[in-house]
Amino acid sequence: MTKPSPDFGLHPVGRFLLPLLERHDRSRVEIACYAEVLRLDPLGERFRQLADLWRPTVGLSDADLAACIASDGVDLLVDLAGHTAHNRLAVFARRPAPVQASWLGYANTTGLSAIDWRITDAIADPPGVTDALHTERLMRLPDGFLCFGPPAPAPPVSPLPMLANGFVTFGSFNALSKLTPSVIAVWGRLLASIPGARLVVKALGLADVPSRRRLGAALRTAGAPPGSVTLLPGLANPAEHLAAYRLMDIALDPFPYNGTTTTCESLFMGVPVITLAGDRHAARVGASLLNRVGLDQLVAGDADGYLAAARALAGDPRGLTELRSGLRERLLRSPLCDARRFARAMEAAYAAMMEAGA
């Protein structure tokens, strides 16, 4: 099993990949990593140690890399980047392996006929609903297509802010590009409907003053009362980033492009997430993640349901306190963090894809 990627390191792809590689049954799977990485960080070094075969690929032409993979006798080639930066999809187009698949790093079809399979699950991609949106056949894992490796070290879960503040604080630490006009409109309605409610948004792009002004103005136009929104720049330090979840009572998932790492981090820090499930993979990742931890009641089917779920949670401080205090342990005991179980499911998927062929 081979994985070409530019993201072997401190990157969301690396965070979700590491638990799988650490728990693979090495009597069944040999791991070859084709690393499109200029400089290895500590997590990248860990990937290099885990690989049976580690090949740096920066500077190799697509033809040369394809020839190298074919010469290595790879049985299954798994793309982790899709159409994101520094991908090597042109290598897959040359079909250096008999079976090729896509997983993890791109929330959509690759559109390449040379990639045979896309690894997902039945909530992110319901059978008969999203198949037609893919050029690949869909291999659905039974307990979710992701495995979250909890960050370490991490601060403890903080007390519920609303108990001290006297008002509810919603929050989002997602990328600004996911905050569409539809998201802003719903968040504005939510803030206008709950007296004293606040919203904290933290993102790397908010270090830019014009970006802060534009987002603040958009939220006010959508109905957010004056003084109800706090906009913060991103934090480079991972521990400080996680500690910032102490600012919010309830996280709001963007739509139609849901969060992934942010949702898992939020749950890990004791903050429940409200999501809206849409009609395609990128819009259903939140539903998949929340299902794995038994929080289907926080998955809405439309904007009104999203608002209702957020208001119901905000109106139950006692229930929210209980949920927060036990949410980290609930996550850690769930299939979402069961790396051994996930590795067995992925190994079964490898076997099924290779048996079925291209």
Side-chain angles (χ1 to χ4, degrees), residues 203-348:
L204 290 174
L206 291 177
D208 177 65
V209 173
S211 294
R212 288 204 303 274
R213 289 173 178 164
R214 282 194 296 271
L215 180 56
L219 285 162
R220 287 192 297 274
T221 299
S228 64
V229 177
T230 300
L231 303 177
L232 303 172
L235 295 168
N237 183 286
E240 292 178 358
H241 163 70
L242 291 173
Y245 281 97
R246 73 187 185 281
L247 301 173
M248 68 173 83
D249 300 291
I250 301 166
L252 300 175
D253 201 15
F255 53 87
Y257 198 156
N258 298 161
T260 304
T261 306
T262 48
T263 296
C264 293
E265 288 177 341
S266 181
L267 298 173
F268 181 71
M269 294 308 299
V271 182
V273 182
I274 306 294
T275 192
L276 195 162
D279 61 357
R280 63 202 65 199
H281 180 94
R284 300 187 61 83
V285 172
S288 175
L289 295 172
L290 291 175
N291 172 265
R292 308 308 165 191
V293 293
L295 291 174
D296 293 291
Q297 71 272 24
L298 303 184
V299 180
D302 56 29
D304 287 340
Y306 185 96
L307 289 167
R311 290 169 184 147
L313 207 54
D316 182 15
R318 179 177 295 180
L320 196 52
T321 299
E322 293 176 359
L323 181 58
R324 189 182 187 98
S325 65
L327 195 48
R328 177 177 290 186
E329 186 64 23
R330 183 173 186 163
L331 171 70
L332 295 177
R333 292 181 178 273
S334 76
L336 186 53
C337 290
D338 190 339
R340 189 177 302 276
R341 179 175 174 176
F342 183 77
R344 300 295 85 77
M346 188 67 90
E347 288 157 7

Side-chain angles (χ1 to χ4, degrees), residues 20 24-25 28-29 76 119 139-142 340-356:
L20 172 64
H24 260 322
D25 181 349
R28 300 180 62 191
V29 177
L76 173 63
I119 301 169
M139 175 59 64
R140 295 176 172 91
L141 301 186
R340 189 177 302 276
R341 179 175 174 176
F342 183 77
R344 300 295 85 77
M346 188 67 90
E347 288 157 7
Y350 297 157
M353 289 187 290
M354 288 189 291
E355 183 177 355

Side-chain angles (χ1 to χ4, degrees), residues 20-283:
L20 172 64
L21 267 56
E22 288 181 329
R23 294 296 186 274
H24 260 322
D25 181 349
R26 306 310 279 270
S27 70
R28 300 180 62 191
V29 177
E30 290 184 354
I31 300 169
C33 294
Y34 294 84
E36 189 73 7
V37 180
L38 282 171
R39 183 181 296 111
L40 289 183
D41 60 30
L43 188 57
E45 288 288 353
R46 177 61 177 149
F47 282 118
R48 187 179 61 80
Q49 294 165 6
L50 287 168
D52 296 293
L53 175 66
W54 178 269
R55 293 202 186 279
T57 62
V58 175
L60 277 182
S61 70
D62 295 326
D64 287 345
L65 179 52
C68 177
I69 293 170
S71 177
D72 287 337
V74 170
D75 299 303
L76 173 63
L77 189 65
V78 182
D79 166 60
L80 299 174
H83 291 277
T84 61
H86 310 298
N87 73 77
R88 300 305 299 261
L89 287 179
V91 172
F92 283 78
R94 289 165 166 79
R95 194 174 276 284
V99 180
Q100 303 189 146
S102 178
W103 172 60
L104 184 58
Y106 190 65
N108 207 337
T109 179
T110 62
L112 271 66
S113 60
I115 294 186
D116 311 299
W117 297 90
R118 185 164 180 275
I119 301 169
T120 181
D121 65 54
I123 296 178
D125 286 287
V129 175
T130 62
D131 299 78
L133 302 177
H134 294 80
T135 55
E136 308 89 350
R137 285 177 283 179
L138 297 184
M139 175 59 64
R140 295 176 172 91
L141 301 186
D143 295 306
F145 77 100
L146 294 169
C147 183
F148 179 62
V157 173
S158 64
L160 189 71
M162 69 186 302
L163 298 180
N165 293 336
F167 53 80
V168 64
T169 302
F170 298 99
S172 169
F173 291 171
N174 290 276
L176 282 185
S177 57
K178 295 185 177 184
L179 307 190
T180 64
S182 296
V183 170
I184 291 170
V186 169
W187 289 359
R189 287 174 58 193
L190 178 62
L191 293 175
S193 70
I194 302 176
R198 304 288 196 275
L199 172 68
V200 57
V201 180
K202 181 174 74 66
L204 290 174
L206 291 177
D208 177 65
V209 173
S211 294
R212 288 204 303 274
R213 289 173 178 164
R214 282 194 296 271
L215 180 56
L219 285 162
R220 287 192 297 274
T221 299
S228 64
V229 177
T230 300
L231 303 177
L232 303 172
L235 295 168
N237 183 286
E240 292 178 358
H241 163 70
L242 291 173
Y245 281 97
R246 73 187 185 281
L247 301 173
M248 68 173 83
D249 300 291
I250 301 166
L252 300 175
D253 201 15
F255 53 87
Y257 198 156
N258 298 161
T260 304
T261 306
T262 48
T263 296
C264 293
E265 288 177 341
S266 181
L267 298 173
F268 181 71
M269 294 308 299
V271 182
V273 182
I274 306 294
T275 192
L276 195 162
D279 61 357
R280 63 202 65 199
H281 180 94

